Amino acid sequence: METTDLPPSSRTVLHILEDTGAMTHKQIVCSSKLAPRTVRYALKKLKENQLIIEKFNFRDARQIIYQRRVNQPVTA
């Protein structure tokens, strides 16, 4: 899926993750100034399109860290 096919909120969250790196949901809400529910929807769409990955937060097990998926090089 092209990033232009994503909802505006998903594109915003994706750009934030590209610029700042891995973040929690709360950090994304603060950075984006979007509503928490909107950020959850945006993250859901990004995850469905395999544009982000979820990582376990070792500092606080109640939180998930979201990170932009790095394109894997194709090997021949």
Side-chain angles (χ1 to χ4, degrees), residues 57-69:
N57 187 353
F58 290 103
R59 292 185 191 173
D60 186 350
R62 298 170 293 174
Q63 295 180 342
I64 297 172
I65 298 175
Y66 299 94
Q67 183 177 4
R68 173 83 157 97
R69 183 181 293 272

Side-chain angles (χ1 to χ4, degrees), residues 23-60:
M23 300 176 83
T24 64
H25 177 268
K26 186 175 183 179
Q27 291 170 326
I28 296 169
V29 169
C30 291
S31 295
S32 68
K33 308 239 187 319
L34 295 171
R37 184 175 178 182
T38 304
V39 172
R40 274 194 302 275
Y41 175 77
L43 291 169
K44 176 184 168 195
K45 287 297 183 184
L46 292 170
K47 189 175 171 190
E48 286 174 357
N49 290 290
Q50 299 178 350
L51 295 171
I52 62 170
I53 56 173
E54 293 180 347
K55 295 168 68 176
F56 184 76
N57 187 353
F58 290 103
R59 292 185 191 173
D60 186 350

